[in-house]
Structures are given as C-alpha cells and as structure tokens.
Amino acid sequence: MKILVVDDSKAMRMIVLRTLRQAGYGDHTLVEAGNGVEALNALRAGPYDLVLSDWNMPEMNGIELLRNVRKESIPCKFGFVTSEGTPEMRQTALDAGALFLIAKPFTVDGFKETLSSVIG
Amino acid sequence: MTPLSVWIDALTESTREVAVTSLGFDDISLEELLAGLPEAHTGVYLPLHTPSGPVQIALMADIPGCRSLAGALLGMDETEELGDADVADAVGEVLNIVAGSLKTRIQEHERPVQLGLPMYVVGHVFPQDDIEGMVAKVKVGAIPAELMVLRQRIPPPEAL
C-alpha cells in the first residue's frame, strides 16, 4: 500500500510518519508532500491508496486538495490529520468525501483505531 | 467582545493539553499573568480571524527554550541538534496544535474562528497604541515561556 502524507510542516510530517510506523504501517510505502499542489501532482502521477492531509497549508489547503482529487476522479482514500477538529470541519470533510478526520494532538492508538477500519 | 482574560485562560489550558499529550511534559505551571507585551521576543505568532476581529496568539521563549520545545515535539534527546529552520517549523507546529485546541475551547465565546498560518519571529514587536495584549508567563516542564494574546482595542461607543 502507498500512503501520501501531506503537511507544510516538516516536523509534523516526521511525526505522522513515525506514528504510522509505531501503529504498524511501517511496511507500507510512505511518501511526503509539502502542500496541496505538490500532493495533487503526486496523485496525478500516482497511484496512491491513501492520503493523510493537513487542512491549513499554503498554496493549496487540504479541503481544496480533496475537492480537486474528487473532481479529477483520482482514486484514493482520503483522511485529514489536522489541528482543528470542530464538528463543522468534520462535516465539511465528510461532505467533500473524506473518510475520517484525526485531530492533533493524536496518539498511536488513535491512529490504529481510525486507520484499521480504512486500510486494515 | 470576549475578555482577554478568557482568551489567555483558554490559551494556557490548550498549551497545557498539548504539553502533556504531544510534548511529553507532566504539566505546565502558570507563573504570572500580565497585561501588555512579553519580555521574550523569540517565538511563533499565529493569526486568528474571529467574529470580534483579528487576534494574534503567540508562544514565546528564549532561543534555547524554543530548541527544547522543538526537540520535545520531535521526540529528540538533548544531544541531538536541530537547525534553525527545523526549530521554527516545529515550534510553529506546536502553536498550530495549541490553536486547534484553543478554537474548540473558545467557541462558546467566539464562533467561527479561522486559523492562519504560524510565523516564527526573532526580534522586537512594536504594536500601535490601539493594540491591547495579555501575557501568561508559564513553565512548560522546566522551560520558561510566555503565552500571549494581542488584538485591536475597540474604542468606547462614545468615541465612535
């Protein structure tokens, strides 16, 4: 399985990658992108099975990325890993086609619980 | 308009949550609450767009303190060195996570709140006279730090 981790913070990408490994997903191919534009280009060149994206990013934010992915019918599962987890944002994410929203701060167990239902 | 004391309390509690869950500290201690500007001038600012107008929040410390906060987020030990850009990025992410928690805590008073992107600043801030602020001097673990809320003062109705 190929997973794309999208965040403008290098520190947070490192933490998400580390958490994925600790959650047992270290055997998958993990790829990084620094914003929505980079991620969309990577997805066009794909294929990727899962995208884990931040919401607030320069260039193209996470929800714009998701809407572009769906508009271009790029096949992949999509979830947010973001510092904002209000009910309104969760609903916006789900309405746009996201499968989940993991709010920071997160735990390894939280990742496992959410991702196990999405990628097994 | 939400009192600054409500903002600073929510910011302090959000920082406490992130210090414990993401940085691995046992707690933070509130040392002092001050009206005005912080003494430390290194750290991260993050803009918030609120129904009452723009608000800036900040997490400030001296440079070794910022390095320690960055190292704590990344799970690094004391011997590992971080470059300046990595410190700026990591401390920015700490405040970004704090801001997400703050948004939830403050929604009883301010809703909707939109978060901007964090900016690392080294230097002095010279706000205009109509800017008001409040600072919480805290210790994050053993790291002295300052939390700040800044916003434009609303003139009294008779001045409008």
Side-chain angles (χ1 to χ4, degrees):
Chain A
M1 180 167 284
K2 203 169 171 186
I3 302 173
L4 183 62
V5 176
V6 191
D7 200 308
D8 57 317
S9 166
K10 182 181 160 193
M12 189 45 66
R13 293 199 304 271
M14 279 176 59
I15 291 167
V16 171
L17 292 174
R18 186 177 68 206
T19 307
L20 281 169
R21 292 188 188 104
Q22 290 171 339
Y25 298 102
D27 292 340
H28 299 294
T29 304
L30 307 176
V31 181
E32 301 177 49
N35 59 51
V37 173
E38 277 183 28
L40 190 57
N41 288 334
L43 289 164
R44 284 171 178 150
Y48 285 85
D49 301 288
L50 174 67
V51 179
L52 296 175
S53 178
D54 187 20
W55 192 296
N56 288 318
M57 294 181 290
E59 306 288 333
M60 180 191 293
N61 67 29
I63 196 71
E64 290 167 341
L65 170 63
L66 172 55
R67 286 174 179 146
N68 278 310
V69 165
R70 294 297 177 243
K71 190 174 158 190
E72 296 185 25
S73 302
I74 297 170
C76 63
K77 294 173 178 173
F78 199 107
F80 286 100
V81 181
T82 178
S83 56
E84 300 180 65
T86 60
E88 293 86 353
M89 289 188 72
R90 289 181 187 278
Q91 194 57 53
T92 301
L94 294 177
D95 289 347
L99 296 175
F100 57 85
L101 186 152
I102 297 173
K104 304 170 193 172
F106 49 75
T107 62
V108 173
D109 287 343
F111 250 65
K112 267 186 197 168
E113 191 181 337
T114 302
L115 294 187
S116 63
S117 63
V118 177
I119 56 178
Chain B
M1 195 174 201
T2 306
L4 279 177
S5 59
V6 171
W7 275 104
I8 203 77
D9 285 350
L11 180 58
T12 304
E13 283 310 304
S14 298
T15 305
R16 186 190 310 281
E17 180 190 358
V18 173
V20 172
T21 57
S22 294
L23 305 183
F25 293 108
D26 291 334
D27 201 357
I28 70 169
S29 58
L30 176 61
E31 308 286 304
E32 199 175 359
L33 214 50
L34 300 168
L37 288 172
E39 291 171 9
H41 297 289
T42 304
V44 177
Y45 286 78
L46 190 147
L48 306 175
H49 301 281
T50 82
S52 308
V55 172
Q56 290 273 349
I57 59 170
L59 167 60
M60 318 206 79
D62 58 16
I63 289 175
C66 287
R67 290 190 174 279
S68 297
L69 290 170
L73 179 71
L74 297 171
M76 299 172 73
D77 65 41
E78 300 275 325
T79 61
E80 291 177 279
E81 279 284 320
L82 274 175
D84 290 344
D86 290 332
V87 172
D89 177 39
V91 180
E93 194 53 39
V94 171
L95 188 59
N96 189 40
I97 302 170
V98 168
S101 170
L102 172 66
K103 178 175 173 173
T104 302
R105 288 177 195 277
I106 205 76
Q107 64 180 352
E108 180 187 333
H109 303 277
E110 298 277 354
R111 189 176 182 179
V113 172
Q114 281 187 302
L115 308 189
L117 295 170
M119 184 169 60
Y120 189 73
V121 173
V122 179
H124 289 270
V125 175
F126 295 102
Q128 295 180 337
D129 290 343
D130 62 346
I131 300 293
E132 61 179 356
M134 187 169 271
V135 175
K137 298 181 94 163
V138 297
K139 277 193 176 169
V140 182
I143 304 166
E146 294 180 338
L147 305 169
M148 182 177 63
V149 177
L150 273 182
R151 70 176 175 196
Q152 188 169 11
R153 201 188 310 271
I154 299 292
E158 61 269 23
L160 294 174

